[in-house]
Amino acid sequence: MPVSTPKEIEYGKRYYRKHKRDRVGYNARYYQEHKEWYKNYAHQKWQGLSEEARERENLRSKEWAKAHRGIMRMSRRKSSLKLKTDVFRLVCRGEIKCCICGESRMDCLSIDHINGGGTQHRKALKQELNVGGGSGFYKWLRDHFQPATYQILCMNCQFIKKQELKECHPL
């Protein structure tokens, strides 16, 4: 295998930076077109392994995850924030902001049930579907969204609404 010169390596880095968007789009399209092949390949590969080999693979992936805990954490945070942003954009129909005061900082915003009953709804989801809060709820909401049921409120406006409606949230 020929060794690349520093000049060739630098050229490659520039090329990949310049064409990153094209590569990402191509990779996503390719995966979508060949999704079934990837699923079957992974399934067949896993089925062909002995019990001992499966344990080794699990151990390797656990060791990798342990050694790269920071990378895993950042990846989960990034995907959770993307999911939250997508759901908020769906609920707001565009611009993400509080329906009452216009606050737009993501850290301050949350999903609110327009007609109240959020606590009971969350408990029912937890019991029936084992859907907890946070990302689990956002995934459920993304798949079962009903426009007239939810709105985005900042925590201050949500607290004021709770006080005005005398909603009680038992612990």
Side-chain angles (χ1 to χ4, degrees), residues 41-166:
Y41 174 76
H43 180 72
Q44 289 171 358
K45 179 183 173 191
W46 191 253
Q47 291 300 321
L49 295 178
S50 66
E51 193 64 35
E52 219 175 271
R54 287 183 194 179
E55 286 179 24
R56 269 197 316 271
E57 287 295 318
N58 280 335
L59 184 60
R60 279 190 197 127
S61 60
K62 286 178 185 177
E63 286 173 352
W64 187 92
K66 196 179 226 181
H68 298 87
R69 190 169 285 157
I71 294 170
M72 302 277 290
R73 187 176 295 134
M74 290 304 294
S75 176
R76 278 193 303 270
R77 283 183 185 162
K78 188 176 178 181
S79 63
S80 294
L81 183 61
K82 184 184 180 325
L83 174 65
K84 183 177 181 179
T85 304
D86 291 346
V87 170
F88 279 24
R89 200 166 274 127
L90 179 70
V91 172
C92 287
R93 294 172 200 81
E95 189 178 356
I96 300 173
K97 63 180 183 178
C98 176
C99 294
I100 298 174
C101 69
E103 175 65 59
S104 61
R105 289 179 291 172
M106 286 290 286
D107 293 340
C108 301
L109 300 176
S110 63
I111 301 283
D112 176 62
H113 288 70
I114 292 175
N115 298 321
T119 302
Q120 290 83 8
H121 184 236
R122 190 179 69 246
K123 286 181 180 178
L125 283 176
K126 179 74 172 165
Q127 252 181 350
E128 295 170 22
L129 304 173
N130 198 25
V131 172
S135 294
F137 177 69
Y138 290 135
K139 286 176 187 173
W140 180 88
L141 188 58
R142 178 189 60 199
D143 299 337
H144 300 89
F145 178 65
Q146 299 167 343
T149 311
Y150 305 98
Q151 63 185 353
I152 303 294
L153 293 181
C154 68
M155 294 308 290
N156 286 336
C157 292
Q158 198 165 43
F159 184 76
I160 291 167
K161 176 187 169 193
K162 177 182 151 187
Q163 294 299 314
E164 288 174 353
L165 296 177
K166 307 241 184 305

